[in-house]
Amino acid sequence: MNVIIDAEFNPVPSLQQIAKVQLAKTAPKAAAVAVFVKSEGDLPDALDLTREQLELAGFAGKKSDALLLPGETAKVLVGISKGFKTAAEIRNAVACFTRNAAKFSELAVELDALTLDGVPAREAAQAAAEGALLARYAYEPLKNKQNLVALETLTLIGENSEAAAGAERGTILATADRLARDLGNTPPRHLNAYKFAEVAERVGPEYGLEVEVFGREEIIEMGLGGLLGVNAGSVQDPRLIKVSYQPEGATEHIGLVGKGIMYDSGGISLKPSNASHCSMKMDMMGAAAVFSAMTALKELGVKTRVTGFLMCTDNMPSGSATKLGDVLTMRNGKTVEVRNTDAEGRLVLGDGIALAAELEVDAIVDVATLTGAAMMALGTQTAAVFANNDTVAQQLQDAGKKSDETLWRLPLDLRLKKAMKSNVADFANIGANEGGAITAALFLNEFVAGTPWGHIDIAGPMESNSDDLWRSAGSTGYATRLLAEFAADFKKPSGDTVGTELE
Ligand code: BES
Ligand code: MN
Ligand code: ZN
């Protein structure tokens, strides 16, 4: 069954509001122009002020210091401390500028100011585009009164073909990221598995993707016991959404798998009725990141073939729900005793990872809002990464550095596996209380069938409490840009791949 609340509602409005990022010799009329100011040394020529005067206004040039000076063209002073050593610092500073010029629909930045300390023009322009487009994001389709002033143009003042290419790259990646945020922010009644599939079928082909949607009967035929087990308590049908990007002449192939729990109530292991669980509408951000990243591949000119599996259902309690002690048979034939229905993400991912492994891809990466334990360990700015192969882990971490979605590697500690023992099935879906993020990764490892694999747990950074530089309050779209950068730079993994048993 599929209960549609508002068939006309468009969950992804941000795709229609992308600002133009351009290079030009001068700023457009009525633009706010950024003036980046270090905490020491000479002030930029454009300023007719002294350090003492700035200090009186509370501006010391530290990161996140900002001061708007109204005028024919408004100047927004943005503190950059010691300067721009990395693209991440540029992204942050342009985001800070954008937030402090919130009423302006035209923004401008001097390209030379960005590249002064050595960041290459291409990376600088990309970071600037991402910073502006991501900071000028808010989810408002369900409000009667919109507060956001849409950004029309970001002008990079200067002439440089590398910068033009970078600006285009940044626009593509930010567009994908904003799509992911829309999907994450949409309430669960407006975005169930059926509706997500509908969005993928509509949007995917516009970005060169083939989208196949599998419904309940097909999922039964395919033997996706994990996805069906999680879906058992829901009145909404599950969906497996398979997304394919097949550039001509590709020699490498990546499988991406996303956790698509449209709402995680915990199921029979019901979560408490705590306001923080509003966030569980975002339990599909792994799937949203995979899909959104894939919309960027063609425009980025990625040469690697990519196949995505979005494992979509909600996790609900009801008379038909999976019970504690029930045993599910997964796609790869392994049996799982469900000892906690709130450990549902690994059940749907296990099936998706098994499907990806069957395609004999060169690497599998899954992304999931998987464990509170990962959030407790690393906080809300950093995601956890696990891998059975060092070169996969390294490529993912390199991509995260580029997108400033940092990954911290945690160990796939096979010694913790014995706590998942079950008396009735091959293993259970939970292990010891300690090391919960590791247990979840060990569970997924049972489905990779020797394929080089990485697992990204984005439970911590999936959401931001407040507007913060390039993150906007609500869904952050975390890992979307990372996955696209990863696919763009992908090399066949080499070296050892760890198995499932201690040797
Ligand atoms: N979706 C949650 C994890 C989560 C928690 C994501 C907070 C984002 C913010 C996941 O399905 C879950 O409930 N995990 C349990 C696992 C436990 C039952 C082994 C958890 O982390 O408590
Ligand atoms: Mn759960
Ligand atoms: Zn969950």
Side-chain angles (χ1 to χ4, degrees):
M1 190 168 46
N2 279 296
V3 182
I4 304 303
I5 304 303
D6 177 359
E8 296 303 306
F9 181 77
N10 175 18
V12 292
S14 293
L15 279 180
Q16 271 114 55
Q17 306 161 354
I18 295 298
K20 190 167 169 219
V21 182
Q22 61 185 19
L23 269 82
K25 285 192 189 130
T26 53
K29 269 208 187 104
V33 181
V35 182
F36 298 111
V37 181
K38 295 186 186 180
S39 53
E40 283 168 28
D42 292 341
L43 289 173
D45 294 341
L47 285 186
D48 200 9
L49 295 166
T50 64
R51 285 243 173 234
E52 291 69 39
Q53 289 171 319
L54 291 181
E55 299 248 341
L56 286 173
F59 183 94
K62 287 201 235 103
K63 282 179 184 166
S64 86
D65 278 357
L67 185 64
L68 186 140
L69 307 175
E72 206 168 325
T73 47
K75 288 182 185 143
V76 181
L77 277 53
V78 176
I80 57 171
S81 185
K82 295 199 166 64
F84 292 134
K85 301 276 190 281
T86 64
E89 287 169 328
I90 294 176
R91 190 184 293 102
N92 284 341
V94 174
C96 180
F97 163 50
T98 304
R99 293 206 181 278
N100 284 282
K103 297 278 179 276
F104 290 80
S105 52
E106 310 279 347
L107 300 180
V109 170
E110 295 265 3
L111 192 57
D112 284 349
L114 301 179
T115 55
L116 199 62
D117 294 313
V119 177
R122 189 189 179 90
E123 286 163 37
Q126 178 182 331
E130 290 176 10
L133 269 53
L134 294 177
R136 195 62 73 81
Y137 172 92
Y139 185 76
E140 297 186 316
L142 295 168
K143 289 185 176 175
N144 279 306
K145 187 174 170 295
Q146 278 75 34
N147 290 317
L148 191 86
V149 174
L151 182 62
E152 309 258 327
T153 58
L154 170 69
T155 303
L156 304 177
I157 304 170
E159 277 177 307
N160 185 319
S161 60
E162 283 292 303
E168 192 188 337
R169 242 183 148 254
T171 306
I172 295 164
L173 289 163
T175 303
D177 202 320
R178 291 160 56 95
L179 168 65
R181 291 180 184 188
D182 276 359
L183 291 166
N185 287 324
T186 305
R189 71 188 290 163
H190 288 83
L191 189 75
N192 56 27
Y194 167 87
K195 190 83 180 180
F196 192 169
E198 199 184 80
V199 170
E201 280 177 317
R202 171 164 61 84
V203 173
E206 289 175 28
Y207 293 89
L209 302 173
E210 190 192 323
V211 177
E212 287 169 85
V213 174
F214 301 89
R216 184 181 177 73
E217 293 306 316
E218 292 150 300
I219 292 169
I220 292 170
E221 253 168 56
M222 293 167 86
L224 307 188
L227 182 56
L228 289 165
V230 175
N231 180 254
S234 179
V235 295
Q236 314 271 1
D237 276 359
R239 288 287 184 272
L240 163 65
I241 309 172
K242 183 178 174 191
V243 188
S244 309
Y245 170 68
Q246 287 178 278
E248 249 173 67
T251 52
E252 274 94 46
H253 188 184
I254 303 170
L256 298 179
V257 183
K259 171 176 173 180
I261 300 299
M262 309 311 295
Y263 180 71
D264 182 10
S265 73
I268 292 301
S269 313
L270 192 62
K271 289 180 188 292
S273 192
N274 177 319
S276 76
H277 294 125
C278 285
S279 303
M280 286 304 118
K281 69 176 180 181
M282 292 180 200
D283 212 17
M284 35 52 74
M285 279 316 294
V290 167
F291 177 69
S292 306
M294 288 186 72
T295 64
L297 301 179
K298 184 175 177 212
E299 291 182 11
L300 290 177
V302 171
K303 302 268 191 318
T304 298
R305 178 177 167 199
V306 181
T307 306
F309 294 95
L310 318 182
M311 314 305 292
C312 300
T313 174
D314 41 23
N315 182 25
M316 298 295 285
S318 85
S320 61
T322 291
K323 304 171 183 80
L324 305 194
D326 269 340
V327 173
L328 306 174
T329 302
M330 305 286 286
R331 168 73 185 185
N332 68 352
K334 293 192 181 183
T335 57
V336 178
E337 181 186 2
V338 179
R339 287 177 167 238
N340 188 323
T341 61
D342 201 9
E344 85 296 343
R346 61 199 77 181
L347 297 172
V348 304
L349 289 170
D351 282 336
I353 290 170
L355 287 171
E358 288 169 27
L359 295 181
E360 298 185 353
V361 293
D362 297 302
I364 298 172
V365 176
D366 77 80
V367 187
T369 49
L370 203 59
T371 65
M375 174 159 61
M376 289 304 164
L378 298 176
T380 56
Q381 301 277 334
T382 303
V385 63
F386 296 85
N388 62 0
N389 175 297
D390 291 347
T391 62
V392 173
Q394 193 58 52
Q395 290 186 56
L396 288 169
Q397 286 182 294
D398 290 347
K401 251 208 178 104
K402 282 195 176 178
S403 68
D404 196 21
E405 295 162 313
T406 39
L407 302 181
W408 189 262
R409 190 169 178 189
L410 296 179
L412 198 61
D413 188 343
L414 292 168
R415 293 170 298 184
L416 303 194
K417 203 180 129 176
K418 55 179 180 291
M420 272 194 287
K421 238 171 88 63
S422 162
N423 293 331
V424 291
D426 295 340
F427 44 87
N429 73 330
I430 53 169
N433 274 331
E434 305 81 12
I438 299 176
T439 307
L442 290 169
F443 182 98
L444 301 179
N445 188 35
E446 295 294 320
F447 300 89
V448 304
T451 314
W453 156 75
H455 155 59
I456 303 176
D457 191 334
I458 56 169
M462 73 173 188
E463 185 180 20
S464 180
N465 287 332
S466 58
D467 289 336
D468 172 23
L469 301 172
W470 54 265
R471 295 164 180 80
S472 294
S475 173
T476 59
Y478 211 87
T480 300
R481 288 175 296 115
L482 181 155
L483 287 175
E485 298 274 21
F486 170 76
D489 293 345
F490 183 70
K491 305 228 165 26
K492 259 191 193 64
S494 55
D496 288 350
T497 294
V498 176
T500 57
E501 303 301 330
L502 276 174
E503 283 178 19

